[in-house]
Amino acid sequence: MADKCTYRLLGWLGRILLGIVLLLNMSGKAAYAAEEADHVLYRNETTGYEVYVYDQAQVLSELDAERLAEQMKELTQYGNAVFWSVQDNPLSVSGYAEAHYLNLYGDESGILVVLDLGKERAGVYSTGRIGRAFGARERERLASSLRRSIKNGSYAPSAQVIFSRALSAVEGEFMARVTKYACNALIALILAMLINFVAVNLSSRPQWTSDSELLEATLSYFDNTEPEVEFVTTVDHYKPNTGVQVLEQLNKNPFDMRRF
Amino acid sequence: MYECPNCNANLRFDIRTQNLLCDHCGTQMDPYAFQKERDAEEVQVQEEDYEVTVFTCPQCGGQLLSDDTTAATFCSFCGGSTILDSRISNQRRPAHIIPFQKTKEDCRKIYLKMMRRAPYAPTEMKREEYIARMRSIYIPYWVYTGEKNGRVKLSASKLARHGNHDVTQLYNIRTNLQAKYTGLAFDASEGFSDALSNAIAPFQWREARPFTPAYLSGFYADVDDVDPELYESDVSDIVGYELYKKIAEDPVCTKYTLGDVVEEMRPNKIKRELSMFPVWFLTYRNKDRVSYAVINGQTGKAAGDIPVDKGKYFLGSLLLAIPLFILLNLVISMQASTMLFLTGLLAGVCAFISVVQKKQLRAKEDYMDDKGSGRYLNLGKKEKTVLRKGARLDMTRAIALCLIMLWSIGMGIFSGSKQSAEMMQLFSLVVYSAVMLVGSHYVRVGGGRTEKPRIPLSIKDIATAIVKPAIGGGIAAIVLCVHPSWSLYYYVAAVAVTLLIGWDVMGIIDRHNLLTSRPLPQFNRRGGEEDGR
Ligand SMILES: [Zn+2]
Ligand SMILES: [Zn+2]
């Protein structure tokens, strides 16, 4: 419990620190932006999302970078794909990833993978549509499972794993949603046809006028003398009590218990 | 024809003033003024008959009476636009008449209001030129008086429980009864369906006045051609049951359980007379079928058989599907197999509707919904006139069927996430279909005042009615049974089932349109040849 609290507190402290760093960064924003363009390897013309690779720690060979970018391109249907490597940084890896993504693309949909060589860890941040399909839980789990391979120095494959997982997650979610819409559309269509029929049937058929309504429209006269009641006979029927009958009797007169 | 004493122009009965009115000079006349003049000369003739122009439609043989000799240009029975043949004839003189109270403008509004509830009606039915053909027709009615005078003896009982015994005490209750109901009316026109006639009933008998032909000025009247004895059993039933209810409410009688004493309560005297009641009549003709809309000319109560336009119906369904779609998206996200299961269920609903409609059509073909047609199916006496003490629905059976159905639906939907979901859904689909089939067998249609008979349908009838939804249900069942791992199969199957349902809904609408219309009438009225059918 206490550990968790400290962890959370440190997280917040980190975020505040980060804010300060970013604020300081703002001043250098113009220069930063000019430099930024070099890292955009691809821009999806239809969606406007980008592939952004900033290999600060120089962990990727040229071939690696090409392959990775090729893979990241596919994600641009759903959001921006950013790869970032760093020798060392003062923040937590996930905090670092979040901060840099927000700085680059704000609240646009996308994913950022950072490889922190100093901590020997991968950090992932995802948001928007990609974030919905590939959320915090999945990315934490995936990042920690990749620790060993990062330690072993297989940087590019680790990043590839993360991007491909994110892609399949977002595509799966996309399919699930399409499926849901398709299912609901079919059912809604059939329901509408049937509901309409019921409505038509109720509204467009002549209603039946009851006999008492017919009688109300007549001229009527009714009179009877005081009925004379004549006793005829008594019929006795043997019928043993069952639980049900006892209950029925009780329901009729709950206060009359003498018979039982 | 009545002439204005002032200017000799034609007089017509004016609904607003309830007097004869001269459009030319504005003179108003009491309708009975003419009767007194003529009474002196031809008392004898007026007792039985009166002279009137009879218009006959050359297309359908339908006849309309009028005191007007100018040509009528369309027929209200078959909707045909044609000059009707006219001749002067003597007709049976009605005893009473209820004059029109609602004007054409009143009824135009009433009609449009009714049509507002029918968004899928053909556009033609809402056009002003069409509505302008609304015609005021006095429809002949048989008006009955049911009387009960004298002493009645009722058996009654009281049940008490002593220990292990049911003790029933039997009594006789006697009372002297004097009761009279005047004004139970049934249409005496073959061209007027019982269902519509009942729907615009009742006419307030208090406002009936002695008949005089002057009331017909400017109006048409229908010919009476229904045997008056036809409705006597209905009158006996209605009055008998009413008297039974009245007696049962007597403070003395409420202490007892009355036996089956309705026979004892039947009226011992039933009298009848012919009267004219006011009805606004509008005929919609579609190829070789007609539908009627009618409005009670006294009370303004409207009824109509309104067909459905298929194009409008499907467009309306598409529009309705949008909010349903949004609602479904908010509420559920279902698995492919659940969706297929649901389409199968809905196909079952279609099959059910189709079977019930088939029964309704059969009932209509047999003219069980129209006593006045004279082809009233000869049912057993028991079925025909069992006095109703509430509908004889077997509640336990109905509830059991409903529960089984709900259970099977629930099982199918909520098993969606389990391993064996498809098998459960298949099973519940089968159970559900069986329940639907049994249920549709029990549904009773047709009949009006008579206890609704069970219409026997042949296997062929049922098969043709349910073939499309059954194939749909079959596809769903097979796919659920095979349960392929690739969900695409489910979608393809569901789309196929949906298309089959759509196709079947077209058939359902066709059947609905048959039910809300009738073939062009072929009258063979008095003086014509024998009915050759
Ligand atoms: Zn005049
Ligand atoms: Zn005609």
Side-chain angles (χ1 to χ4, degrees):
Chain A
M1 225 22 204
D3 274 356
K4 231 178 199 172
C5 277
T6 356
Y7 180 78
R8 213 176 266 175
L9 208 69
L10 280 175
W12 281 112
L13 273 174
R15 255 169 233 205
I16 292 162
L17 244 167
L18 181 85
I20 297 164
V21 170
L22 285 180
L23 261 175
L24 291 175
N25 249 351
M26 286 298 197
S27 49
K29 185 85 188 182
Y32 189 77
E35 192 184 320
E36 212 173 279
D38 297 343
H39 303 304
V40 176
L41 300 189
Y42 170 78
R43 187 183 152 83
N44 188 322
E45 288 308 325
T46 42
T47 61
Y49 294 127
E50 294 173 346
V51 169
Y52 186 107
V53 176
Y54 181 40
D55 189 12
Q56 197 181 20
Q58 298 191 328
V59 294
L60 301 177
S61 70
E62 209 158 296
L63 190 67
D64 282 340
E66 233 167 72
R67 264 193 212 149
L68 192 63
E70 204 56 43
Q71 195 195 3
M72 289 158 74
K73 264 186 197 172
E74 290 187 47
L75 270 167
T76 56
Q77 291 175 60
Y78 313 104
N80 301 298
V82 185
F83 175 83
W84 198 291
S85 69
V86 64
Q87 206 48 259
D88 207 0
N89 92 82
L91 302 165
S92 76
V93 264
S94 54
Y96 185 83
E98 181 175 355
H100 280 282
Y101 186 84
L102 292 177
N103 192 39
L104 277 174
Y105 294 111
D107 53 6
E108 276 179 38
S109 165
I111 179 169
L112 184 145
V113 175
V114 59
L115 296 182
D116 186 327
L117 301 191
K119 293 198 186 69
E120 292 181 324
R121 283 198 68 152
V124 187
Y125 176 73
S126 57
T127 183
R129 191 156 161 196
I130 299 179
R132 276 198 299 279
F134 189 63
R137 236 180 42 199
E138 289 92 335
R139 50 190 209 230
E140 291 298 326
R141 200 180 297 153
L142 188 59
S144 58
S145 76
L146 286 172
R147 247 185 124 163
R148 184 185 294 256
S149 57
I150 292 171
K151 207 175 235 173
N152 292 343
S154 54
Y155 302 115
S158 300
Q160 273 176 10
V161 167
I162 297 171
F163 284 121
S164 82
R165 282 287 178 84
L167 182 66
S168 58
V170 75
E171 276 181 340
E173 196 240 16
F174 176 67
M175 275 313 291
R177 194 179 310 192
V178 167
T179 303
K180 178 183 158 184
Y181 288 150
C183 289
N184 288 348
L186 278 185
I187 300 292
L189 193 63
I190 302 175
L191 275 179
M193 288 194 286
L194 294 179
I195 290 172
N196 254 339
F197 178 74
V198 173
V200 162
N201 226 14
L202 288 181
S203 72
S204 75
R205 281 291 192 69
Q207 301 295 304
W208 184 256
T209 306
S210 72
D211 290 350
S212 42
E213 282 172 88
L214 294 183
L215 282 163
E216 270 169 35
T218 62
L219 276 174
S220 64
Y221 170 81
F222 179 90
D223 188 36
N224 69 308
T225 54
E226 167 98 20
E228 305 151 23
V229 180
E230 174 204 10
F231 175 74
V232 182
T233 181
T234 301
V235 181
D236 199 319
H237 217 76
Y238 176 72
K239 229 186 191 177
N241 270 329
T242 63
V244 179
Q245 279 166 336
V246 173
L247 263 176
E248 274 172 11
Q249 288 292 333
L250 275 174
N251 277 336
K252 268 183 202 155
N253 187 353
F255 302 105
D256 188 357
M257 295 293 287
R258 283 164 300 166
R259 288 186 218 136
F260 308 106
Chain B
M1 191 63 61
Y2 297 87
E3 284 175 1
C4 174
N6 202 16
C7 69
N8 289 348
N10 288 339
L11 292 173
R12 60 171 183 86
F13 179 76
D14 179 56
I15 296 173
R16 256 177 262 277
T17 58
Q18 294 285 305
N19 270 327
L20 291 175
L21 178 76
C22 173
D23 285 327
H24 197 249
C25 69
T27 304
Q28 286 191 27
M29 294 273 297
D30 176 37
Y32 293 103
F34 290 95
Q35 195 180 18
K36 279 164 200 150
E37 279 172 30
R38 292 187 186 182
D39 258 351
E41 313 156 16
E42 34 186 348
V43 180
Q44 223 56 27
V45 185
Q46 285 209 346
E47 283 300 305
E48 295 292 324
D49 291 326
Y50 69 109
E51 197 174 79
V52 71
T53 309
V54 180
F55 289 101
T56 309
C57 169
Q59 288 179 18
C60 71
Q63 291 182 331
L64 280 175
L65 311 178
S66 174
D67 84 323
D68 197 348
T69 45
T70 50
T73 55
F74 67 92
C75 167
S76 286
F77 297 104
C78 66
S81 293
T82 171
I83 304 289
L84 308 187
D85 306 330
S86 69
R87 67 188 159 88
I88 304 290
S89 157
N90 277 333
Q91 290 288 325
R92 177 165 21 196
R93 186 189 170 97
H96 286 89
I97 187 166
I98 296 177
F100 273 94
Q101 312 275 333
K102 298 286 174 194
T103 63
K104 192 167 189 173
E105 183 51 29
D106 295 337
C107 291
R108 192 186 76 93
K109 284 184 193 138
I110 293 169
Y111 174 79
L112 285 173
K113 196 175 163 198
M114 178 170 81
M115 293 311 284
R116 241 176 276 144
R117 283 186 292 124
Y120 306 133
T123 320
E124 164 76 13
M125 294 187 86
K126 295 175 185 173
R127 278 176 46 222
E128 288 293 342
E129 304 96 276
Y130 165 73
I131 302 171
R133 296 186 105 184
M134 197 182 305
R135 188 178 259 175
S136 46
I137 303 178
Y138 280 105
I139 302 282
Y141 271 73
W142 288 115
V143 179
Y144 295 85
T145 301
E147 263 183 85
K148 178 80 176 174
N149 292 308
R151 205 164 169 77
V152 290
K153 189 180 97 177
L154 315 173
S155 55
S157 62
K158 250 187 190 175
L159 181 74
R161 192 158 174 83
H162 295 295
N164 281 337
H165 294 259
D166 269 345
V167 179
T168 313
Q169 288 172 319
L170 298 179
Y171 300 88
N172 281 331
I173 298 180
R174 290 188 177 80
T175 178
N176 276 321
L177 204 60
Q178 275 203 314
K180 190 175 176 183
Y181 293 86
T182 306
L184 276 174
F186 299 92
D187 75 275
S189 159
E190 192 185 316
F192 195 24
S193 90
D194 281 3
L196 287 179
S197 151
N198 173 278
I200 61 166
F203 288 88
Q204 300 298 323
W205 181 246
R206 291 167 198 89
E207 292 169 23
R209 304 197 200 149
F211 178 81
T212 178
Y215 277 117
L216 298 187
S217 302
F219 295 86
Y220 290 94
D222 196 0
V223 183
D224 65 286
D225 47 11
V226 170
D227 182 2
E229 277 165 32
L230 201 64
Y231 297 115
E232 281 190 0
S233 63
D234 289 297
V235 175
S236 173
D237 287 355
I238 295 172
V239 173
Y241 187 53
E242 175 71 8
L243 293 177
Y244 168 77
K245 278 196 296 186
K246 279 265 166 61
I247 287 290
E249 283 166 11
D250 188 286
V252 175
C253 297
T254 49
K255 296 175 196 143
Y256 303 90
T257 311
L258 290 185
D260 196 7
V261 293
V262 182
E263 285 304 320
E264 179 78 9
M265 306 305 286
R266 287 187 183 281
N268 41 23
K269 203 200 276 175
I270 294 178
K271 288 187 292 185
R272 59 164 185 262
E273 60 163 74
L274 189 68
S275 289
M276 289 289 189
F277 288 178
V279 175
W280 286 93
F281 220 85
L282 193 53
T283 312
Y284 174 72
R285 180 160 174 178
N286 186 15
K287 291 181 191 110
D288 53 350
R289 296 190 71 90
V290 284
S291 308
Y292 300 128
V294 288
I295 298 172
N296 184 319
Q298 182 190 27
T299 63
K301 200 172 170 192
D305 281 326
I306 304 170
V308 163
D309 182 280
K310 253 185 231 171
K312 283 191 181 181
Y313 184 88
F314 281 105
L315 191 67
S317 300
L318 221 56
L319 288 178
L320 178 63
I322 294 168
L324 282 175
F325 173 68
I326 293 168
L327 194 74
L328 282 177
N329 281 333
L330 291 177
V331 177
I332 44 170
S333 149
M334 58 188 126
Q335 311 247 319
S337 69
T338 310
M339 169 198 54
L340 187 57
F341 167 73
L342 282 178
T343 56
L345 287 192
L346 294 170
V349 175
C350 282
F352 182 82
I353 293 173
S354 298
V355 171
V356 171
Q357 281 186 319
K358 204 85 182 176
K359 284 185 171 187
Q360 289 171 325
L361 277 174
R362 179 50 51 82
K364 198 180 161 96
E365 278 163 23
D366 291 341
Y367 281 73
M368 274 190 295
D369 64 338
D370 194 19
K371 266 192 155 182
S373 70
R375 281 182 63 203
Y376 177 54
L377 193 79
N378 215 357
L379 300 166
K381 199 186 173 193
K382 203 171 142 198
E383 275 176 306
K384 212 164 174 179
T385 48
V386 177
L387 286 181
R388 282 152 303 144
K389 300 175 189 169
R392 292 255 185 93
L393 192 79
D394 189 341
M395 283 306 282
T396 34
R397 209 175 277 175
I399 290 171
L401 284 179
C402 283
L403 283 179
I404 294 174
M405 202 168 79
L406 286 177
W407 168 78
S408 67
I409 294 173
M411 210 173 73
I413 292 175
F414 295 112
S415 67
S417 53
K418 296 204 187 83
Q419 283 292 310
S420 56
E422 285 90 349
M423 278 346 249
M424 296 270 275
Q425 283 161 347
L426 177 64
F427 176 64
S428 66
L429 193 59
V430 171
V431 171
Y432 164 88
S433 306
V435 172
M436 276 302 206
L437 214 62
V438 173
S440 68
H441 176 70
Y442 278 107
V443 171
R444 282 159 185 248
V445 299
R449 179 146 292 99
T450 54
E451 174 143 326
K452 291 184 176 163
R454 207 172 271 167
I455 310 284
L457 279 186
S458 66
I459 300 289
K460 196 181 152 222
D461 280 337
I462 297 174
T464 51
I466 68 169
V467 60
K468 285 165 217 154
I471 292 174
I475 291 174
I478 290 168
V479 172
L480 286 172
C481 179
V482 176
H483 63 278
S485 55
W486 198 22
S487 55
L488 186 67
Y489 285 108
Y490 292 99
Y491 299 123
V492 172
V495 170
V497 178
T498 307
L499 288 176
L500 279 163
I501 289 177
W503 189 13
D504 194 52
V505 168
M506 284 198 212
I508 287 177
I509 294 170
D510 283 338
R511 265 176 248 125
H512 175 85
N513 286 346
L514 284 180
L515 284 166
T516 53
S517 63
R518 54 200 64 231
L520 285 185
Q522 281 304 321
F523 294 99
N524 233 321
R525 288 181 146 154
R526 272 186 313 235
E529 294 151 35
E530 281 300 303
D531 192 341
R533 276 178 296 202

